[in-house]
Amino acid sequence: MTDAVKLVYIETYGCQMNVADTDLIVGLLGRDGFTVTESPEEADVILVNTCAVRDNAEQRVYGRVGELKRHKRPGDVLGVVGCMAQRLGSALLDRIPSVDLVAGPDGYRALPELIRRAAEGTRTAEVEFKPWEHYEDVPPTPANRVSAFVTVQRGCNYRCTFCIVPMTRGPERSRKLADVVREVERHVNAGTTEVTLLGQTVNSYHDGTNDFADLLRAVGAVDGLRRLRFTSPHPNDFNDRVIDAMATVPEVCEHVHLPVQSGSSRVLKRMLRRYTREGYLDCVERLRAAIPNIALTTDIIVGFPGETEDDFLETESLVEAVQFDNAFTFKYSVRDGTPAVKIKDHIPDDVAGERLERLIATVRGVARGRNAGLVGSSHEVLVEKRARRGDLLQTRTRTNKVVLIDGDPQLVGSYLQVRLTGTTGSTFTGVPTSSARMLVVAE
Ligand code: SAH
Ligand code: F3S
């Protein structure tokens, strides 16, 4: 690798926090003279930012690394970073000889050095947790996006028995409120009007002085910010202060992604989720009482060890009871090093698979019913981008519903009032109402 040509190609897997971390990596490497390329062939450095939450996420990475290594020329560097890198550490170097460096989520500051070493032939794994690490000084990547992610908390202090995240991202730590506000201001000054605050249990945010309610109020007050979202909260951290801030800060959108994992208190206990079915339903009730039109989405795992047919039916009935707008559904995946490995009563794959299919059908039915009821109503949407399909534009309501509309691509980044004209069951079609269009033009 010559000093003159420094191109990095990064592929990102997993959650929004990995997307935000990729921006961090780009900022860090930018400071070291790297430019991003969209082409792995011409890259001097190829990085794969990985997820470890389920085995199939890791299998995909093995497959992808196998393909990407073909683009390596002599002196090029191939690195695996993120949660899978943290989980496997130097074992990953042993397992894949073409990988030159491995760095976990707290190790990105070392990347320029690791890359230099790798180019000279020394392969390294950087997987030490650094509980102080917030990458506060990392230069920002150009924020010319309609919507931006802002990490406010790293790590997780819960210990859900199925989950590898505490082991890959380390202990929970929150950024200082003033630092978060400064980053949001920077995004807004670059033209972004919607921000999503990120954390593994984002509503447990506490910087020593300010809690999540303070954070919502402070970020909501940033001049020019129009929409404020956050993901993912934990049900136990929705105290009345936080719910009150959500209800009273006008920028906070009417959507919460609230992972439930199971509808059975017995399973929830084994998962160490620290709430019961009733506790979750109570949280939903308090959110709905404060924010009547709130949309709710969730994550659900089926086939957790010991899950009986009755437990599963309780999950199905919870989906019906809550009337989720959508749910991400997963088959339980054993993660080495998590407490659930020791729980007996493994559920056979075909049983888990069949439950997953039934659950998907239930989730779809509930979502379809809710969405059908919205056709005809009017919503403010943010125009995000050109839709993949045809000449349409992809827009989003405050409640996180995707609405496809006809319109000029110049409208990307603007807000319109639209009437929903139809639904596929999950997404909508809509037409801008003329007064809103004039309003935007007049702005
Ligand atoms: N606290 C994070 C959770 C990260 S993992 C958040 O709320 O964003 C994202 C989702 O993956 C979890 O909510 C859970 O539903 C699922 N998941 C985690 N570990 C899993 C496992 N071992 N098997 C299957 N799904 C899992
Ligand atoms: Fe995982 Fe539970 Fe934390 S799902 S990220 S251990 S809240």
Side-chain angles (χ1 to χ4, degrees):
M1 188 169 49
T2 68
D3 276 348
V5 195
K6 287 169 105 178
L7 292 175
V8 60
Y9 170 83
I10 311 188
E11 238 169 62
T12 309
Y13 293 87
C15 64
Q16 293 100 326
M17 195 163 291
N18 266 9
V19 175
D21 278 358
T22 289
D23 282 349
L24 260 178
I25 293 169
V26 170
L28 272 160
L29 293 182
R31 187 159 67 181
D32 206 52
F34 278 90
T35 308
V36 173
T37 170
E38 299 300 317
S39 138
E41 291 90 20
E42 65 171 17
D44 304 292
V45 175
I46 297 175
L47 297 178
V48 185
N49 191 359
T50 59
C51 172
V53 138
R54 283 169 293 276
D55 183 56
N56 54 12
E58 293 197 352
Q59 295 310 323
R60 249 176 98 198
V61 169
Y62 285 123
R64 234 0 234 155
V65 168
E67 286 163 17
L68 288 168
K69 75 172 184 217
R70 287 195 235 123
H71 302 301
K72 259 181 93 175
R73 299 158 304 193
D76 284 358
V77 172
L78 175 59
V80 177
V81 303
C83 286
M84 182 180 170
Q86 181 71 38
R87 191 177 88 76
L88 296 170
S90 55
L92 204 52
L93 294 176
D94 298 339
R95 181 151 174 187
I96 323 179
S98 56
V99 169
D100 305 296
L101 72 86
V102 166
D106 283 352
Y108 299 150
R109 201 175 281 283
L111 275 176
E113 178 56 29
L114 301 184
I115 289 169
R116 261 188 295 279
R117 259 191 257 161
E120 288 159 10
T122 309
R123 302 162 77 221
T124 325
E126 169 66 44
V127 290
E128 206 187 306
F129 283 134
K130 303 188 179 74
W132 42 264
E133 185 58 279
H134 281 296
Y135 301 103
E136 248 8 296
D137 59 316
V138 174
T141 45
N144 55 359
R145 294 187 191 149
V146 168
S147 186
F149 293 131
V150 174
T151 302
V152 303
Q153 175 198 59
R154 300 181 74 84
C156 182
N157 277 357
Y158 279 82
R159 289 286 177 276
C160 304
T161 53
F162 53 80
C163 185
I164 195 75
V165 171
M167 275 143 268
T168 61
R169 287 191 166 269
E172 176 184 324
R173 66 217 94 138
S174 294
R175 288 173 76 184
K176 292 277 177 232
L177 179 139
D179 290 330
V180 174
V181 168
R182 204 170 307 123
E183 185 176 341
V184 171
E185 283 170 347
R186 210 188 65 225
H187 284 296
V188 170
N189 288 338
T192 301
T193 57
E194 179 183 84
V195 157
T196 304
L197 307 180
L198 299 181
Q200 297 299 336
T201 55
V202 70
N203 52 341
S204 71
Y205 171 93
H206 207 292
D207 74 353
T209 311
N210 307 287
D211 67 2
F212 192 62
D214 297 322
L215 185 70
L216 288 179
R217 291 184 197 281
V219 173
V222 170
D223 211 20
L225 184 80
R226 202 150 152 176
R227 286 185 173 188
L228 177 52
R229 303 182 184 278
F230 55 87
T231 199
S232 290
H234 190 285
N236 287 12
D237 296 305
F238 267 130
N239 59 37
D240 289 342
R241 270 178 60 77
V242 172
I243 293 182
D244 186 57
M246 289 169 63
T248 52
V249 175
E251 291 77 15
V252 175
C253 290
E254 294 77 23
H255 167 238
V256 170
H257 182 71
L258 189 60
V260 65
Q261 316 299 358
S262 169
S264 154
S265 294
R266 210 179 64 90
V267 174
L268 288 168
K269 190 163 184 193
R270 290 175 157 212
M271 288 177 162
L272 200 62
R273 284 294 289 179
R274 304 170 205 239
Y275 54 81
T276 58
R277 175 190 177 95
E278 292 70 33
Y280 185 89
L281 289 172
D282 176 63
C283 180
V284 167
E285 219 168 87
R286 289 186 297 121
L287 284 166
R288 286 228 161 100
I291 309 145
N293 58 339
I294 197 165
L296 292 173
T297 55
T298 198
D299 291 344
I300 302 172
I301 297 175
V302 300
F304 187 73
E307 182 189 71
T308 63
E309 174 67 14
D310 280 353
D311 291 323
F312 173 70
L313 291 176
E314 286 202 61
T315 297
E316 292 226 291
S317 79
L318 182 110
V319 170
E320 300 272 3
V322 175
Q323 290 282 297
F324 287 113
D325 291 84
N326 199 3
F328 296 112
T329 50
F330 309 107
K331 201 156 60 164
Y332 170 68
S333 170
V334 184
R335 309 313 291 134
D336 271 346
T338 60
V341 169
K342 298 196 200 86
I343 305 180
K344 298 205 172 52
D345 310 325
H346 178 77
I347 305 298
D349 194 60
D350 56 332
V351 174
E354 187 270 334
R355 284 181 192 162
L356 183 64
E357 268 176 41
R358 270 191 284 161
L359 182 62
I360 290 171
T362 303
V363 166
R364 284 206 184 128
V366 167
R368 196 177 307 122
R370 281 185 73 76
N371 289 338
L374 290 172
V375 172
S377 61
S378 277
H379 297 260
E380 179 203 79
V381 293
L382 168 58
V383 183
E384 292 183 332
K385 57 182 179 189
R386 293 176 94 127
R388 254 172 281 167
R389 192 155 57 82
D391 294 330
L392 301 175
L393 299 176
Q394 177 181 306
T395 76
R396 199 175 293 268
T397 66
R398 286 172 59 96
T399 50
N400 212 37
K401 308 274 183 190
V402 170
V403 185
L404 300 180
I405 64 167
D406 235 337
D408 190 326
Q410 281 193 341
L411 286 170
V412 169
S414 60
Y415 288 84
L416 300 173
Q417 199 68 27
V418 301
R419 191 167 46 79
L420 304 181
T421 51
T423 178
T424 60
S426 58
T427 62
F428 291 87
T429 50
V431 287
T433 50
S434 51
S435 58
R437 190 182 277 269
M438 277 160 60
L439 224 152
V440 168
V441 173
E443 273 177 3

